[in-house]
Amino acid sequence: MAQRDAPPEVQARAQELRDQLHYHNYRYYVLDDPVISDQEFDRLLQELSKLEAAYPGLVTPDSPTQRVGAAPLDKFDTAPHRVPMLSLENAFSDGEAREFEDRLKRFLRIMEETFDYVVEPKMDGVAVELVYEQGRLLVGSTRGDGYRGENVTQNLKTIHTIPLALLSRDLPAPDLLEVRGEVYMDLGDFKKLNDERLARGEPAFANPRNAAAGSLRQLDPAITAARPLKIFCYGIGLVEGRSFATHWDVLQALKTWGLRINPLIDRRRGIEEAIRYHRDLEHQRHGLPYEIDGVVIKVNDLALQERLGAKARSPRWALAYKFAATQATTRVKDIMVNVGRTGAVTPMAVMEPVQVGGVTVSRATLHNEDEVARKDVRVGDTVLIQRAGDVIPEVVKVIVEDRPAGAQPFQMPRACPVCGTPLVRPPGEAVTRCPNPDCRGSLRRAILHFAGKSAMDIDGLGEKIIDQLMDQGLVEGIADLYRLTEADLTLLERFAEKSAGNLIDSIEKSKKPSLARFIYALGIRYVGEATAQLLAQHFHAFEALRTAGEDELLTIEGIGPQVAKGIRDFFDSARNQELLDNLLMVISIKPPAKPAVSPLAGKTFVFTGGLSRLSREEAKAQVTARGGKVSSSVSAKTDYVVAGADPGSKYAKARDLGVTILDEDAFEELLNKV
Ligand code: IVH
């Protein structure tokens, strides 16, 4: 079909929509301060998609519709950096930081004066370069060897905090801009991602940096798109059509162009002030949602930077002042086991309290029986432990040379430390469990999880109160929470009337959860927050999830066999049935907001034959991204068969059954209807 050019008013409207969408994307993802609702945003995006579908010539590479959906690559091209991406010289002590300033003075022959510095958190992620020409993102690449990296443009485009086009409302965008920044993953997102990977039987990433690097180096951008990556920009390589006096000015300009700058970046006069910033940030470090491994101190004056220049691998005008390692050694006093909400029994090292990265720790998880055996941790051992962000510290290794004579290998207890029931460990599983559904250890954890902030959010229902409620026999199951009265609570030790009233209020308030929260609150094995969201989006109604078979669960992108089985097992248990019946008598789940509906939502597709413009993987991803399902065989339940070149027997079967058959063009047209 010949392509028609869009009439001028349509072209103008498309441009206007693109500008608005870029701006609102920036408000939402970069400033975290949206000025329109999600629905309005979706409406604008839909309007643009429709125009682009009608006039494909309107699609520009920087169109907000182009964030996802690029085809997988065979390999990455190399991308040269016009200005090399250098690394930084490290310092590990205040003394070394002072030497840095002394070197600056000697080099510049400035003896009395001191310097203005820009001080920045040193992000622990992956360095990237973004090249904007005439304000549009053209190429994005990794650092590589500093001179040439990998062209990962289509992956970077999936990151919402990376603008596809620079904003030029307040400051015209330069002709050429090479921006540098760090792509990273928030700790919370990292943990969620790992939980989901483990649930699917995939290996966990060792740390957020590896997760970010691995996600960025995917040949299929659909995978990168599903990973929660973010960026902070911290400098430029080259800029044409604009000049700056200071690094601080550069950062301010980047901000006005819509690039995301870490709000903790600041200015300090003199090295002592910069050292103080380092100390302050080291204290704040573990409260941050992402990992940083130090502070970067940069000479602010660009003329001075120019004069200072660079050594072989690092500029003379910057220093990475690293934080002390978050590892420490201590002694294991005991190895205890904890009973989790699903009955999982986890060994835990109880240690002499030790400072690690600014906090005192006295416990470290040992994960499971095999892990204890692999690391051979014994009571009395000296161990190296580490903290990764805010997660529970873990034992890295035993210092075997320091092992006291007679230290015995750890043995998993045979019986549950809470209820005494013999523990079980199914063949092929790493986890040991207490099989007693009435185990108070599991119940206690289950209630704690149910009441948690991301679950039913029952404010004020903490461990101590749960223990008291259970001890008094007031709560023997989750549903009992909703039978509590103020009078019951005032019977508890140290429970004032006011706090009793508050707790009853928060229990009352929790009666109208969203579907996703409710699902998450149930504590179904392998169902974390993200999976609960997926389930809520797919099923809309709780009953539909409750009765869904494993087959249906498996059609949901992101849910594998293990998770599907976990869900089915949960709903098949008679005691859970009873719990749900009781809960649903008092709880009314808020129906989920209807997402922008694509005509593909809920429809089942079968592919046969080769498509010329899309890989099979991409075509499938496009369908599932719009809420559709892909099946491998044609049946009366099939809504569409997409037939490419040389279709197989599925084509004939579809025809016999009267299933709608789409050719590639018709399929793409359908996809474009949002
Ligand atoms: S400036 C020439 N600033 O650290 C100066 N780097 O060891 C180049 N990094 O590859 C880097 N946060 O990935 C700079 N605020 C920051 C940074 C930062 C993290 C990383 C960057 C670089 C590495 C250098």
Side-chain angles (χ1 to χ4, degrees):
M1 192 175 65
Q3 224 171 274
R4 285 173 300 153
D5 269 348
E9 66 278 11
V10 175
Q11 292 187 18
R13 179 63 186 153
Q15 180 62 42
E16 193 179 356
L17 286 167
R18 279 196 296 269
D19 288 349
Q20 287 184 7
L21 285 161
H22 285 315
Y23 177 68
H24 292 303
N25 185 80
Y26 165 74
R27 299 285 322 193
Y28 187 91
Y29 288 106
V30 179
L31 298 186
D32 206 2
D33 182 23
V35 286
I36 60 171
S37 69
D38 293 1
Q39 286 83 349
E40 282 171 281
F41 185 90
D42 290 342
R43 255 213 327 271
L44 296 174
L45 192 63
Q46 268 188 39
E47 188 185 341
L48 182 60
S49 309
K50 279 196 188 129
L51 294 183
E52 289 179 348
Y55 302 100
L58 282 180
V59 182
T60 57
D62 70 332
S63 168
T65 59
Q66 302 301 299
R67 278 214 187 262
V68 279
L73 301 171
D74 296 329
K75 66 175 187 52
F76 295 116
D77 287 338
T78 49
H81 305 299
R82 271 177 271 202
V83 177
M85 292 180 76
L86 300 177
S87 64
L88 292 168
E89 186 161 314
N90 289 325
F92 296 95
S93 67
D94 292 356
E96 287 175 9
R98 292 185 185 111
E99 280 169 24
F100 165 70
E101 190 172 70
D102 292 342
R103 277 198 304 276
L104 294 178
K105 288 184 175 175
R106 271 203 305 279
F107 190 91
L108 296 167
R109 296 179 182 275
I110 299 177
M111 279 348 268
E112 301 88 86
E113 273 180 76
T114 179
F115 295 87
D116 279 325
Y117 297 108
V118 173
V119 283
E120 310 178 355
K122 185 170 189 301
M123 300 298 301
D124 201 4
V126 187
V128 298
E129 174 169 87
L130 308 169
V131 182
Y132 290 88
E133 278 189 30
Q134 307 308 332
R136 290 176 174 188
L137 177 59
L138 204 71
V139 180
S141 53
T142 59
R143 176 168 179 270
D145 63 5
Y147 298 91
R148 48 190 65 242
E150 283 173 321
N151 182 329
V152 288
T153 313
Q154 54 180 14
N155 291 346
L156 288 168
K157 278 186 165 183
T158 67
I159 300 176
H160 282 278
T161 42
I162 294 183
L164 301 179
L166 299 177
L167 300 179
S168 49
R169 295 191 170 194
D170 302 319
L171 188 69
D175 304 335
L176 173 73
L177 180 69
E178 291 178 359
V179 189
R180 272 96 193 259
E182 198 89 346
V183 167
Y184 69 95
M185 199 178 282
D186 273 337
L187 284 159
D189 290 332
F190 164 72
K191 195 170 171 303
K192 230 185 264 178
L193 177 68
N194 262 356
D195 286 349
E196 287 162 13
R197 288 175 67 85
L198 288 171
R200 288 195 297 264
E202 295 165 9
F205 288 112
N207 54 51
R209 175 165 29 85
N210 287 3
S215 301
L216 208 52
R217 296 197 65 260
Q218 292 292 330
L219 290 167
D220 182 355
I223 300 179
T224 312
R227 302 279 172 80
L229 298 173
K230 294 186 176 168
I231 194 169
F232 274 130
C233 298
Y234 52 65
I236 54 177
L238 205 61
V239 58
E240 279 171 13
R242 182 121 239 136
S243 66
F244 297 99
T246 63
H247 178 58
W248 182 258
D249 291 346
V250 169
L251 296 176
Q252 300 314 307
L254 294 180
K255 219 193 286 184
T256 15
W257 287 326
L259 293 151
R260 191 160 175 261
I261 309 295
N262 192 321
L264 296 172
I265 294 182
D266 212 342
R267 280 177 289 190
R268 290 290 185 269
R269 180 149 184 83
I271 200 68
E272 296 308 322
E273 292 285 309
I275 289 172
R276 189 157 316 137
Y277 175 86
H278 176 273
R279 191 153 48 238
D280 292 347
L281 204 60
E282 185 153 24
H283 284 126
Q284 275 186 51
R285 175 184 187 190
H286 290 294
L288 297 178
Y290 43 78
E291 287 201 327
I292 59 176
D293 57 354
V295 163
V296 184
I297 304 174
K298 299 176 181 173
V299 171
N300 190 22
D301 186 325
L302 294 182
L304 289 181
Q305 280 195 10
E306 179 91 24
R307 283 177 56 196
L308 286 159
K311 292 180 288 182
R313 287 215 304 271
S314 53
R316 288 194 189 82
W317 44 264
L319 180 75
Y321 183 2
K322 296 286 198 73
F323 293 138
T326 47
Q327 290 192 333
T329 53
T330 181
R331 207 182 59 86
V332 177
K333 292 198 295 189
D334 195 5
I335 298 177
M336 288 187 9
V337 294
N338 271 346
V339 186
R341 78 186 139 80
T342 56
V345 176
T346 313
M348 202 48 131
V350 181
M351 309 166 304
E352 308 270 6
V354 63
Q355 287 274 115
V356 197
V359 295
T360 309
V361 303
S362 56
R363 270 155 206 268
T365 176
L366 294 164
H367 301 290
N368 56 49
E369 187 176 14
D370 292 348
E371 276 294 295
V372 192
R374 194 174 65 78
K375 290 179 181 157
D376 191 16
V377 182
R378 306 183 185 187
V379 174
D381 271 345
T382 300
V383 287
L384 180 68
I385 60 165
Q386 75 179 10
R387 280 184 76 215
D390 58 358
V391 277
I392 317 172
E394 62 174 357
V395 172
V396 182
K397 63 170 187 181
V398 172
I399 318 286
V400 183
E401 302 77 56
D402 295 346
R403 173 167 287 163
Q408 292 300 311
F410 170 75
Q411 292 240 304
M412 201 69 170
R414 297 240 168 84
C416 172
V418 179
C419 69
T421 307
L423 297 176
V424 294
R425 181 175 165 192
E429 284 196 26
V431 180
T432 307
R433 277 172 210 286
C434 168
N436 174 10
D438 292 319
C439 174
R440 287 167 56 85
S442 328
L443 176 61
R444 182 172 177 278
R445 289 265 149 205
I447 298 178
L448 206 56
H449 174 83
F450 183 82
K453 203 148 195 59
S454 317
M456 303 296 271
D457 194 17
I458 306 181
D459 198 24
L461 190 61
E463 276 182 81
K464 289 224 173 75
I465 295 177
I466 295 175
D467 284 345
Q468 289 192 53
L469 290 169
M470 288 176 57
D471 289 346
Q472 297 296 317
L474 289 168
V475 169
E476 286 174 351
I478 290 178
D480 293 339
L481 292 174
Y482 293 98
R483 292 192 198 102
L484 289 173
T485 63
E486 240 180 276
D488 289 337
L489 294 180
T490 35
L491 291 178
L492 300 182
E493 223 179 299
R494 287 195 303 265
F495 223 85
E497 243 166 69
K498 178 151 182 306
S499 39
N502 288 346
L503 181 54
I504 295 293
D505 280 351
S506 24
I507 293 177
E508 194 57 37
K509 269 199 227 131
S510 75
K511 285 183 176 173
K512 290 201 176 79
S514 68
L515 179 56
R517 272 178 182 270
F518 184 68
I519 297 171
Y520 173 65
L522 294 175
I524 304 168
R525 251 171 103 183
Y526 308 125
V527 178
E529 272 178 82
T531 306
Q533 279 287 355
L534 283 180
L535 294 168
Q537 271 159 21
H538 181 88
F539 289 104
H540 301 289
F542 184 69
E543 276 312 305
L545 165 65
R546 192 172 171 176
T547 51
E550 279 179 52
D551 288 353
E552 168 154 27
L553 291 164
L554 284 171
T555 64
I556 305 172
E557 174 102 353
I559 294 201
Q562 199 176 21
V563 186
K565 183 168 184 311
I567 296 171
R568 211 43 267 157
D569 287 352
F570 180 89
F571 288 114
D572 285 341
S573 126
R575 98 180 353 256
N576 290 337
Q577 301 265 11
E578 189 188 322
L579 165 67
L580 288 170
D581 290 341
N582 283 330
L583 278 179
L584 292 169
M585 279 197 278
V586 285
I587 279 171
S588 54
I589 300 169
K590 279 189 287 193
K594 283 243 178 308
V597 272
S598 157
L600 278 65
K603 302 282 194 244
T604 304
F605 283 73
V606 173
F607 289 92
T608 176
L611 300 175
S612 66
R613 289 183 292 273
L614 294 176
S615 71
R616 184 66 71 84
E617 272 61 40
E618 184 181 6
K620 285 184 181 173
Q622 297 279 14
V623 168
T624 46
R626 287 166 178 74
K629 293 173 226 166
V630 177
S631 162
S632 54
S633 59
V634 179
S635 76
K637 286 196 194 144
T638 311
D639 294 291
Y640 296 104
V641 166
V642 180
D646 303 323
S649 62
K650 295 178 197 170
Y651 183 89
K653 181 148 185 215
R655 221 180 27 207
D656 293 346
L657 289 170
V659 174
T660 310
I661 299 175
L662 305 173
D663 64 9
E664 187 165 359
D665 287 341
F667 173 60
E668 285 191 2
E669 206 171 298
L670 192 64
L671 286 182
N672 283 328
K673 291 188 179 151
V674 176

